[in-house]
Amino acid sequence: MAMTLNNIVEQGKNGPAMMPIIQGVGRAAIEIAAVLRGAVFRGALGQAGGENVQGEQQQVLDVLSDEIFLEEMRATGFICAVGSEEQENLLIIEEYSHADYLVLVDPLDGSSNLDIDCPVGTIFSIVKRKSPNDQLPDVSDTLQAGRDVLAAGYVLYGPSTMLVCSVGEGVNGYTFNPNTARFESSHPNMTIPATGGYYSVNESNADKWADDMGSKLANLKKETGLGMRYVGAMVADMHRTILKGGIFLYPADSKNVTGKLRLLYEAIPMGFIMEQAGGKSMSSDGVAVLDILPEALHQRVPVYLGANAAVDTLLG
Ligand code: P6P
């Protein structure tokens, strides 16, 4: 009997409460994957014409994926609010405003890859509300350090559709099986190799990097001889890093002075996964990603995520 997302119920103290929510993520992933496959025939590629709160051009599929994800979170009945990259403010789910949990999500990460049929992803984390259940949740419920996250993960829309997640008991990968129309275990106990793999960074920014990162990266390359891979979608670059080893980094630079990647729905969930996979998740000034206390829903931070030795060699 194949192991499915139902198995999450047996994973530690958080498993029982997190399983139905992660099953909802799985339903959203199946819907989003189906939309992506046929998008070109629906004229759904390209820009939606608006900008998101990040000031980035919204893709048509960004908006659609956000709607699908929100609807599946609502349908679980366990989520009181969603913080989304595509929404300026916290989205309260009125009929479940008393529920215990909130989800932070980047519904379609790396969507600029869609026009060239390259991998994209969904990134999520789940936290327990701090506010009383008889009050409406608010953004303060989302501003929790990564150490308090109950579960996190990502969906990779590639040649197959994978859902990789952790409830604090290690990292497990599930692949959508079209023969049974469900996610089934394919990569149990994902652990980052201690050596080898690649460094993964947009080196075209090197002349703008802060924190002397150009010299630090040159030293990493000299010390380790790592090759370079960069897909331009965090989910794909992180998935390869966990499977093959190495490090993914997005330093601060003169254009993104506090970094480009978002703390709540990119850095924290991916940092949580990386630590659960036996790696290291650092931001700037020697601070671990999961120790940062968020101050705003769309706050950005520098990230250095990878094997312990690679991160330590880079950052010194
Ligand atoms: P750049 C996608 O827009 C994203 O948020 C991440 O998925 C990805 O790692 C990064 O930005 C890519 O940024 O500047 O290299 O295109």
Side-chain angles (χ1 to χ4, degrees):
M1 181 69 174
M3 191 179 292
T4 68
L5 294 177
N6 297 343
N7 169 257
I8 293 170
V9 73
E10 298 170 10
Q11 295 174 14
K13 63 182 174 53
N14 296 333
M18 294 297 101
M19 182 195 70
I21 300 169
I22 296 174
Q23 287 178 324
V25 173
R27 286 189 292 274
I30 293 168
E31 293 170 52
I32 292 170
V35 166
L36 296 181
R37 274 196 302 275
V40 69
F41 300 114
R42 299 170 52 184
L45 293 179
Q47 296 179 355
E51 278 190 352
N52 62 16
V53 65
Q54 327 287 339
E56 295 164 348
Q57 285 301 317
Q58 258 183 333
Q59 306 287 320
V60 170
L61 291 169
D62 280 322
V63 176
L64 195 48
S65 301
D66 190 46
E67 291 167 357
I68 290 169
F69 193 88
L70 179 62
E71 186 44 42
E72 288 301 342
M73 291 301 97
R74 182 198 317 274
T76 67
F78 294 100
I79 302 298
C80 62
V82 174
S84 168
E85 181 197 38
E86 300 304 329
Q87 303 288 341
E88 182 166 4
N89 302 307
L90 186 69
L91 281 170
I92 295 174
I93 298 178
E94 297 292 345
E95 60 267 49
Y96 296 110
S97 62
H98 58 282
D100 286 335
Y101 303 106
L102 296 90
V103 174
L104 287 307
V105 65
D106 183 352
L108 201 59
D109 179 69
S111 54
S112 56
N113 274 355
L114 289 168
D115 289 353
I116 56 169
D117 204 26
C118 279
V120 292
T122 297
I123 309 173
F124 69 94
S125 69
I126 306 168
V127 296
K128 190 171 175 69
R129 71 188 297 166
K130 298 287 189 189
S131 57
N133 293 70
D134 60 0
Q135 290 177 11
L136 286 179
D138 68 29
V139 72
S140 65
D141 284 305
T142 69
L143 304 180
Q144 301 185 41
R147 301 286 173 208
D148 294 329
V149 159
L150 299 177
Y154 58 85
V155 180
L156 176 58
Y157 307 98
S160 69
T161 300
M162 279 198 70
L163 194 160
V164 175
C165 61
S166 174
V167 294
E169 300 289 323
V171 179
N172 293 294
Y174 304 81
T175 299
F176 180 72
N177 183 341
N179 302 312
T180 57
R182 65 186 184 183
F183 283 98
E184 296 177 359
S185 176
S186 57
H187 298 66
N189 190 30
M190 289 170 63
T191 305
I192 186 168
T195 58
Y198 302 92
Y199 73 92
S200 185
V201 65
N202 183 342
E203 271 187 289
S204 68
N205 295 327
D207 60 339
K208 301 195 287 289
W209 285 338
D211 306 323
D212 195 25
M213 201 48 62
S215 306
K216 290 176 179 173
L217 181 63
N219 179 61
L220 175 76
K221 290 155 75 171
K222 177 170 164 283
E223 292 289 319
T224 62
L226 290 180
M228 195 278 269
R229 292 286 187 278
Y230 192 70
V231 178
M234 188 182 192
V235 170
D237 285 318
M238 280 292 294
H239 188 66
R240 183 202 53 250
T241 302
I242 294 169
L243 291 182
K244 300 295 184 186
I247 183 171
F248 169 79
L249 55 149
Y250 207 109
D253 60 40
S254 55
K255 182 176 162 221
N256 296 294
V257 294
T258 62
K260 176 181 182 185
L261 300 183
R262 276 56 56 116
L263 175 59
L264 280 178
Y265 40 80
E266 290 175 313
I268 284 178
M270 286 307 199
F272 182 85
I273 289 289
M274 182 55 78
E275 286 202 4
Q276 286 290 318
K280 200 166 199 176
S281 304
M282 298 302 292
S283 188
S284 50
D285 305 323
V287 177
V289 168
L290 301 188
D291 290 332
I292 300 173
L293 184 59
E295 296 171 1
L297 189 56
H298 301 294
Q299 177 179 349
R300 298 170 187 260
V301 293
V303 295
Y304 308 94
L305 313 174
N308 287 296
V311 174
D312 291 345
T313 302
L314 177 75
L315 299 180

